[in-house]
Structure formats: C-alpha cells, structure tokens
Amino acid sequence: MRLVICDDNLNDLTEFERLAKKYSVLTPGVQFHITKFSDPSLLAAQIQTGKPADIYILDIVMSGMTGIDLGNEIRRHNSNSIIIYVTSSDSFALDAYEVHAVRYLLKPVGESKFFEALDYALTHLEEKKEAVYLVKTKEGLESIPYAEIEYIENSSRKLEVHLADGKKITSIYIRKSFEEETKELIHAKSFIYVHKSFLVNLYHVRRLNQSNVTMKSGVNIPISKKCLLDVKKEYLLFISEQYK
C-alpha cells in the first residue's frame, strides 16, 4: 500500500514517517511503502505524472503551495485516494472537507490520534473497493462504486446516476419506487434523500442552504420542505464525523 507524506517541517516529516512505520508493525497485514516530500511542488509534479498513492498525509501551511492546493490536484486525477491533513492551524477545515479529506489533525499529533486516522483511512479504502451499486441499463448491468456517485435523480421512471467525473448512467424503466430502487445506498451513511426525486452523496456536497444543495460539480439540487430538517441534521452529523 502506497503512503505519501508531505511536510516542509523536516522534524514533523520524520515523526510522521516513524508513526506510520510503527503502525504498520503493530497492524497485521498492513505494509506501507512510504514516500516523503518536503517540497510540495515536487509532490504536485508526481501527482500529475505518476500512479496515485492510496493514502496522502499532508501538511497544509507550506511554502510555495498549500496542502489544500495538493488536495485539489489529487482530486483532479482521482477520487479514491485517502487524504489526511495535519496542520498547526484550525482555519482550513472547510477547505479540507471540500477535497474529501477524512481527517483533520492539529499539531502536535499524538500517536493515538495518528493511529485512529490510519484506522479510519484503511476502513474507508476497503469500503471504496467493495461497495458497488448495480444499475440495469439498455447495454446491460453497470457496476458503479458508491464513491463515484455524486447524486441520483428519478427522471420519468428512470434512474439518472450522475458520477463525480461528469458522466451520467441512465437505467431502464424502474418497476419499484425510487426509494426501493436506491435504499441500499442509505446504509452507506453518506447518502441522503433531499427530495422525493433526488438522492445525494454527502461526500460530493459543496454547500447547503435553505432551498438547495450545491454539488462539487456545481449542480444545484432542490431540498423539499419535508426533508429540510433531516437533511440539515444529517449533513452536520456527517461533517462532524469526518473531523471529530
């Protein structure tokens, strides 16, 4: 498993490498191939040309390029890598959420917090590998990883599955209700109905207001009055879980 650490503070860089190696020794079946960067621009170049890492541990406040810039660069090339931020400032939590970081750790980072973040990252990687949603289309059965689904719309008795990369997959006519056809996704805890015709993946929500949710793609999806209170509650719970 490929793990990349980027921090322009050499002491922190060395300490995070030490903790990652210790975690690997203490966790059966986990072996990290660690690459370190003290210059974020070198990591940015590697992201653009090389194979993505499974997990990135990134400082945020660095000279020349921030960890948020790196996170955006990672997301431009893939949606599956796990990002963990470590920083001395608590001012970038919202920015971290927008690049789907799974943890936001404040320095100095203790061993227990670091290990918990890696536990969560590995669990999240397994969920991304295993969870797929099957959609019946004219061309056959499409297998779509949960993580790639931005939102699903019930349009004229067909499911329109909108993906994070901008693609859209349309099902054949559905025989059951929209809720019945999509209920398995609710168990993933990141999906929520915001309207009788829309199911959204909270990992791909950019912001929420009184009348709609704005997705990472820029699409605005209406929130029904009936769903508004539940949507607000679930959204806040989801965010707090990511950055507890």
Side-chain angles (χ1 to χ4, degrees):
M1 181 173 297
R2 298 184 66 238
L3 184 148
V4 166
I5 306 170
C6 184
D7 197 315
D8 62 355
N9 182 309
L10 296 182
N11 290 331
D12 288 342
L13 188 64
T14 300
E15 175 63 6
F16 296 145
E17 180 186 29
R18 183 190 71 81
L19 288 172
K21 286 181 176 179
K22 183 174 180 180
Y23 180 91
S24 183
V25 169
L26 295 174
T27 309
V30 174
Q31 183 176 5
F32 292 131
H33 300 282
I34 300 172
T35 306
K36 298 183 298 181
F37 292 87
S38 59
D39 184 342
S41 64
L42 294 179
L43 174 54
Q46 191 274 336
I47 292 167
Q48 293 169 10
T49 59
K51 182 180 178 182
D54 297 290
I55 301 172
Y56 290 90
I57 298 175
L58 308 175
D59 187 17
I60 291 182
V61 182
M62 296 183 285
S63 59
M65 176 178 282
T66 70
I68 301 299
D69 294 330
L70 286 172
N72 285 319
E73 193 64 37
I74 290 166
R75 290 294 172 243
R76 271 193 285 272
H77 291 82
N78 78 93
S79 61
N80 292 322
S81 294
I82 300 297
I83 298 174
I84 297 170
Y85 280 119
V86 287
T87 180
S88 56
S89 172
D90 61 0
S91 302
F92 300 93
L94 182 58
D95 297 308
Y97 172 73
E98 290 188 351
V99 296
H100 306 174
V102 302
R103 283 293 184 266
Y104 188 94
L105 307 178
L106 290 176
K107 296 180 179 180
V109 181
E111 181 177 291
S112 61
K113 282 284 187 182
F114 192 87
F115 283 8
E116 188 279 334
L118 287 177
D119 283 342
Y120 189 85
L122 293 173
T123 300
H124 204 58
L125 278 173
E126 287 303 311
E127 288 176 352
K128 286 190 173 191
K129 289 177 183 177
E130 295 173 0
V132 295
Y133 182 57
L134 300 178
V135 180
K136 295 179 181 178
T137 71
K138 290 180 179 179
E139 291 75 30
L141 202 60
E142 290 274 355
S143 179
I144 310 169
Y146 284 12
E148 294 181 11
I149 299 172
E150 184 176 56
Y151 68 95
I152 301 177
E153 179 181 0
N154 182 14
S155 178
S156 303
R157 301 292 297 171
K158 293 182 179 180
L159 300 179
E160 291 190 349
V161 184
H162 295 260
L163 307 184
D165 63 5
K167 295 179 182 177
K168 181 177 73 174
I169 296 173
T170 303
S171 75
I172 59 176
Y173 285 104
I174 58 176
R175 297 180 181 179
K176 301 176 183 178
S177 68
F178 180 53
E179 289 78 9
E180 282 292 313
E181 291 284 351
T182 56
K183 66 180 181 180
E184 71 172 77
L185 292 165
I186 294 300
H187 299 301
K189 297 182 180 180
S190 65
F191 288 88
I192 186 171
Y193 297 106
V194 298
H195 186 280
K196 66 180 181 179
S197 297
F198 289 95
L199 177 71
V200 305
N201 186 345
L202 292 173
Y203 280 113
H204 297 292
V205 171
R206 177 180 294 166
R207 60 179 174 269
L208 168 71
N209 61 37
Q210 291 292 110
S211 59
N212 60 57
V213 289
T214 301
M215 308 306 292
K216 301 288 186 181
S217 62
V219 173
N220 289 314
I221 297 174
I223 304 175
S224 69
K225 292 181 179 179
K226 179 182 177 181
C227 295
L228 182 58
L229 290 178
D230 284 341
V231 170
K232 283 184 175 180
K233 177 183 175 182
E234 292 301 321
Y235 182 67
L236 291 174
L237 284 173
F238 178 79
I239 292 176
S240 66
E241 174 64 22
Q242 303 307 301
Y243 301 107
K244 66 181 181 180

